[in-house]
Amino acid sequence: MKLNERLSVVASFVEEKRSIIDVGCDHAFLSIYLQENKHPKKVVASDNKEGPLAIAKENIKKAKLEDKIKVTLADGIKDMDSDIDTIIISGMGGRNMVGICKYESQKMKQIQTIILSPNNDVDVVRKEFCKMGFHIDKESLVEYKNVIYPVIRFQKGRKHYTKEDYLLGPILRKEKGKLFLELNNNEVKQKELLLKVLPKGYWRRKWEIKRELKIRKSI
Ligand SMILES: C[S@@+](CC[C@H](N)C(=O)[O-])C[C@H]1O[C@@H](n2cnc3c(N)ncnc32)[C@H](O)[C@@H]1O
């Protein structure tokens, strides 16, 4: 199984011998790759829609992994098996990822590692998953189809972070790589534009944007 650039980075964050659930598996390419390459104890490919799951099942059959990958129709982690220790969610909105895990605190107790690649709201993702009792031990940015996406790995255990860490990434802001600087410049341009077009009444949103711009311009 050959993965696209984004899923390749996600897969590279997965540790060996884990029991993994790939939430929102869609085509199940990632689940298949992990089963073939990461010596997992278990892989569950899960989605909340019948259409993607039918395609997932077909791909798993083609890869001859029907007896190795469990496929489930489920909303988030609601029906997650009790032996799963790693959650992967890629290619969804950040707030959806938070919603999937935040209200399942009992199920989250068994989780050691979470790997996320949100499409947006990455600051909210960092903050909310840290509030759930995790810290960030690995972060990267990947360009896929002209969009820069974050990939973040959380491990169980708390750490202290600043608002700069949540906004920019505690590891990314130290490394200051090429994609990080490019993403930051794009965000500055976008937020400056937004400030200009926001109607007068939006004082709170404007205050938030100005605060964000101050951090982003200090890099
Ligand atoms: C854009 S695809 C991403 C596929 C793959 N994970 C990737 O990164 O390429 C998002 C998938 O998440 C599924 N999804 C959205 N919300 C979900 C939820 N609450 N529980 C399970 N799956 C969900 C959608 O049905 C869709 O198949």
Side-chain angles (χ1 to χ4, degrees):
M1 175 57 59
K2 185 154 167 36
L3 297 177
N4 66 42
E5 294 91 327
R6 184 182 188 181
L7 286 179
S8 292
V9 177
V10 172
S12 74
F13 277 31
V14 179
E15 293 150 299
E16 298 213 340
K17 301 196 172 75
R18 291 307 192 105
S19 295
I20 302 159
I21 184 165
D22 175 12
V23 177
C25 66
D26 200 352
H27 33 60
F29 291 156
L30 179 64
S31 296
I32 293 169
Y33 178 90
L34 296 177
Q35 184 59 55
E36 287 175 338
N37 294 279
K38 291 279 175 168
H39 309 105
K41 282 192 196 149
K42 175 173 181 169
V43 176
V44 177
S46 179
D47 207 285
N48 67 350
K49 291 175 199 75
E50 301 265 11
L53 273 190
I55 295 166
K57 280 182 190 161
E58 238 172 72
N59 289 333
I60 290 168
K61 193 173 169 192
K62 269 188 221 155
K64 297 190 171 48
L65 291 173
E66 297 113 300
D67 54 340
K68 295 257 172 67
I69 299 176
K70 181 176 167 183
V71 179
T72 60
L73 176 67
D75 181 11
I77 58 167
K78 283 194 167 65
D79 302 325
M80 184 171 68
D81 294 340
S82 60
D83 55 353
I84 294 292
D85 55 35
T86 301
I87 296 174
I88 304 176
I89 320 179
S90 165
M92 272 183 215
R95 287 174 198 270
N96 196 12
M97 293 178 175
V98 172
I100 283 171
C101 297
K102 189 172 176 172
Y103 306 104
E104 298 293 338
S105 49
Q106 201 54 35
K107 295 229 171 252
M108 288 301 282
K109 283 185 185 160
Q110 73 196 52
I111 297 302
Q112 290 299 322
T113 307
I114 307 162
I115 298 161
L116 303 175
S117 183
N119 291 345
N120 50 36
D121 292 321
V122 61
D123 52 336
V124 177
V125 167
R126 287 194 187 97
K127 193 170 183 176
E128 291 294 326
F129 278 87
C130 290
K131 271 207 247 171
M132 288 179 226
F134 293 84
H135 65 276
I136 295 165
D137 83 323
K138 215 166 154 69
E139 275 187 306
S140 191
L141 291 170
V142 56
E143 192 166 3
Y144 175 56
K145 293 188 175 169
N146 293 321
V147 181
I148 300 172
Y149 294 102
V151 182
I152 309 169
R153 188 169 76 188
F154 296 85
Q155 300 285 9
K156 190 162 230 157
R158 293 182 187 276
K159 264 191 188 172
H160 172 75
Y161 292 112
T162 62
K163 58 182 184 306
E164 288 82 3
D165 291 328
Y166 290 134
L167 182 66
L168 304 169
I171 299 169
L172 295 174
R173 68 185 277 249
K174 282 195 188 125
E175 292 174 350
K176 287 195 176 71
K178 181 177 161 286
L179 286 183
F180 171 81
L181 295 172
E182 192 179 323
L183 182 65
N184 196 58
N185 283 344
N186 295 345
E187 290 291 334
V188 168
K189 278 184 206 152
Q190 237 183 56
K191 294 283 150 47
E192 280 180 336
L193 200 70
L194 190 56
L195 260 190
K196 281 187 196 151
V197 298
L198 267 180
K200 270 193 181 137
Y202 286 68
W203 61 269
R204 189 180 164 82
R205 183 70 189 118
K206 284 186 185 172
W207 177 82
E208 284 169 356
I209 294 171
K210 282 181 189 164
R211 192 179 75 153
E212 177 175 339
L213 278 170
K214 198 173 166 196
I215 297 173
R216 291 198 177 280
K217 286 181 175 177
S218 72
I219 286 168

